[in-house]
Amino acid sequence: MPMRKVMKGNEAAAWAAKLARPKVVAAFPITPSTLVPEKISEFVANGEMDAEFIKVESEHSAISACVGASAAGVRTFTATASQGLALMHEILFIAAGMRLPIVMAIGNRALSAPINIWNDWQDTISERDTGWLQFYAENNQEALDLILIAFKVAEDERVLLPAMVGFDAFILTHTVEPVEIPDQEVVDEFLGEYVPKHAYLDPARPITQGSLGFPAHYMEARYKVWEAMENAREVIKEVFDEFEKKFGRRYHMIEEYRTDDAEIILLTMGSLAGTLKEFVDKKREEGVKIGAAKMTVYRPFPIEELKALAKKTKVLAILEKDVSFGIGGAVFTDASRVLVNEKEKPILLDFIVGLGGRDVTFGQLEEVVEISKKALEGEKVEEVHWIGLRKEIL
Amino acid sequence: MAVRKPPITTREYWAPGHAACAGCGPAIVMKLATKAFSEAMEEKYGDPNAFAIAHATGCMEVVSAVFPYTAWKAPWVHVAFENAAAVASGIEAAWKKLGRKGKILAIGGDGGTADIGLQALSGMLERRHNVVYLMYDNEAYMNTGIQRSSSTPYGAWTTTSPPGKYSIGEDKPKKWVALIAAAHQVPYVATASIGDPYDFYRKMKKAASVDGPAFVQVLAPCVPGWRIPPEKTIEVAKLAIETGLWPLFEIENGDFHNIKFQRFPKDGKFKRPIEDYLKLQGRFKHLFKRPEAIQELKNQIKELWRILGKEVELP
């Protein structure tokens, strides 16, 4: 029987790692994810988890050790956040290019400067082009579930790409919630043992991995990563279906909430989705035709799902905790690409919110709705807005 | 004294067809190191193939693994420039869980080891992974076209340490990574030179045989980088030993009080002058107009020997 325990998001991630039975875990402590390696150390120390835990001297070595272990053919896990993820940056491309299905939990945290340990998504968003699958959890249960899902998708032979699962710093990493821990047997059945056919450092059948690719081959290798990411769309949906059958919880590329007759839809990722759902309920009571949507999968980008969502609304307001300086938020720019050639499309607005752990309040959401309403009524509004700025200290 | 020559296995892991320069010192290192490793694995585990290689970015990686070809007859992986030791740590951990017997060989040049890879190397040694780290020292960034590294010797010309009106060439003493490695009190640390291939072979075998981490720093001349003719590689590497410029030693468990030396003259007097070594190489040509720089190099080498516990005379 699945067990329900009240736990922090970090513990949920560690539990997911335990259930997935990786053979190697390599990690370096970083706020807010420190508890993940701590908890895994405990599991290993108590003999509850049969993994080699490498206490590396940096995140760069954490991911490098994971690449080594994965290249040697075993299931591999790590966790980090923010500067730690940034320090891994170089190797993230290599892990994807070498097609190693490493899974990484990330307590989404802001990047320096100024140094800030609190939540936004700039860390993972900055790694969006590395070739890693990206999932964002709304709550601690999702953090656990999505890590299991990430392993399954990453290891699928049609995909073979590494995956990162983000859950918001402190809002989830340090907040306790009831989490259902699935039975080990069911997880074993769901994931199976990882047996690589392309990456193994076996003296009985020596292969060379991580070659030099001349111009004659490099582009094709990169195309294969593109193709794998494209394949992942279908694989993720299949895995979501299977996950629902095995564990009873349903996931969607984009989860919709009261969108059916909406004129304004607020689209976001991560824990902010929970806030938006409540806010939508409140606005519906006031008679505002508003809905919410949550992007669970950011890479591959849910193109068809976003098109379908866009058809339902007149204003698509994207709320995101990241910024690409000089253009706008990442989700906004991606969504713009998806909708650019659609004949009918909603007005697309970008709201940059909650950077570095600033609370996203109902007051701020009212502001989002006010701007969206103006756009709806035909008034010209800016496309990118910073919401919740303390103008008095600028 | 006759040098006892151990037999060298005929097994090959470094296949013909790699793209290294004629006379390449590091290529000889690859060949000998893997042979020695294989012999150690055979003796220790009964399987000569019981090893895998993690390679740092650099000359030897580039010339040996141009897709779709490979010069490697052993399981081999390259990830990046600075992380061969960390990658090897991961492989070792995976092998432990797979119950696979054997040892991991990490290979990096001086740039990938003395400079950008030093932290990962330290981590690997400190965590006591069952890995041999082999640093092939050609004393500059040869892969990118001869830029100085922290392992470039005093006085050497490189493209980023050019001699000029205000410069004698490289103006810092060489960093001796073997001593840094030994400070980790790991089971085995050694220096070697392809100028004494039997000594190098024996040391690689020993490194592969110990339980836990080992580090070997081997001098491997680079033909274009040192400005030497291809047929002089071994001669130059030999002269490095004979002039006292390249100490051959072993340090076990970080015991600096019991360093074992090889090819050390009993009276501490090296017979051949350092100039014999320098004059064969274009990279030191300019020093002969600056005798004070040669003297400074000699002083540095004497100081190195003193730190190692030996008073030496350099003619």
Side-chain angles (χ1 to χ4, degrees), chain A residues 92-105:
Chain A
L92 299 182
F93 284 91
I94 298 173
M98 287 176 69
R99 311 294 299 276
L100 300 173
I102 300 159
V103 172
M104 169 153 57

Side-chain angles (χ1 to χ4, degrees), chain A residues 128-375:
Chain A
R128 67 180 178 167
D129 300 331
T130 52
W132 284 58
L133 306 160
Q134 289 202 358
F135 300 86
Y136 289 79
E138 181 184 333
N139 51 46
N140 294 352
Q141 183 71 58
E142 290 198 9
L144 186 147
D145 291 354
L146 288 173
I147 288 169
L148 298 178
I149 287 166
F151 271 113
K152 179 91 173 168
V153 176
E155 291 171 6
D156 190 287
E157 280 185 31
R158 294 163 289 175
V159 180
L160 289 174
L161 288 176
M164 50 181 82
V165 177
F167 48 111
D168 290 334
F170 297 101
I171 301 169
L172 298 182
T173 58
H174 285 63
T175 303
V176 293
E177 289 180 339
V179 173
E180 187 173 301
I181 302 165
D183 285 335
Q184 183 68 61
E185 304 80 66
V186 188
V187 175
D188 288 347
E189 216 177 275
F190 175 68
L191 284 183
E193 202 184 332
Y194 172 55
V195 185
K197 291 187 183 148
H198 71 300
Y200 45 79
L201 293 166
D202 183 354
R205 38 177 189 168
I207 56 164
T208 290
Q209 300 180 64
S211 290
L212 170 66
F214 269 38
H217 294 104
Y218 179 83
M219 210 163 154
E220 284 69 21
R222 301 310 285 171
Y223 178 77
K224 294 299 280 183
V225 175
W226 166 273
E227 191 182 58
M229 192 59 91
E230 291 300 306
N231 292 346
R233 287 180 214 291
E234 278 317 302
V235 175
I236 289 169
K237 286 175 211 166
E238 285 172 28
V239 173
F240 282 169
D241 288 345
E242 199 186 330
F243 190 88
E244 186 183 18
K245 272 182 211 142
K246 288 229 155 56
F247 303 99
R249 287 182 290 279
R250 178 72 212 175
Y251 287 92
H252 303 271
M253 299 288 277
I254 294 179
E255 184 188 306
E256 297 184 20
Y257 186 75
R258 303 186 78 168
T259 54
D260 278 349
D261 59 340
E263 290 183 327
I264 298 166
I265 291 178
L266 310 179
L267 172 69
T268 195
M269 306 197 296
S271 65
L272 186 53
T275 314
L276 292 192
K277 285 173 191 169
E278 256 187 71
F279 179 72
V280 163
D281 287 344
K282 176 176 174 278
K283 297 309 284 180
R284 283 281 178 178
E285 276 171 31
E286 294 168 15
V288 184
K289 288 183 172 176
I290 187 173
K294 171 183 77 180
M295 205 177 279
T296 303
V297 185
Y298 176 63
R299 279 293 181 275
F301 199 75
I303 292 174
E304 291 312 315
E305 291 77 4
L306 185 74
K307 283 181 181 173
L309 182 75
K311 283 201 174 73
K312 295 183 170 174
T313 185
K314 291 179 179 145
V315 175
L316 185 61
I318 292 167
L319 288 88
E320 54 188 317
K321 299 180 183 178
D322 64 84
V323 55
S324 179
F325 297 106
I327 177 78
V331 184
F332 171 68
T333 50
D334 288 353
S336 307
R337 122 75 173 115
V338 167
L339 300 175
V340 67
N341 287 324
E342 294 298 287
K343 281 204 182 68
E344 283 179 33
K345 55 190 164 227
I347 297 162
L348 214 58
L349 299 176
D350 193 20
F351 298 94
I352 291 162
V353 298
L355 298 188
R358 178 152 307 170
D359 282 341
V360 182
T361 62
F362 273 23
Q364 291 174 16
L365 297 179
E366 291 289 356
E367 209 179 319
V368 168
V369 171
E370 282 316 303
I371 295 167
S372 300
K373 272 185 178 165
K374 276 186 195 167

Side-chain angles (χ1 to χ4, degrees), chain A residues 86-115:
Chain A
L87 185 55
M88 292 181 177
H89 174 72
E90 179 204 20
I91 309 302
L92 299 182
F93 284 91
I94 298 173
M98 287 176 69
R99 311 294 299 276
L100 300 173
I102 300 159
V103 172
M104 169 153 57
I106 292 153
N108 281 114
R109 171 187 146 186
L111 279 163
S112 295
I115 188 168

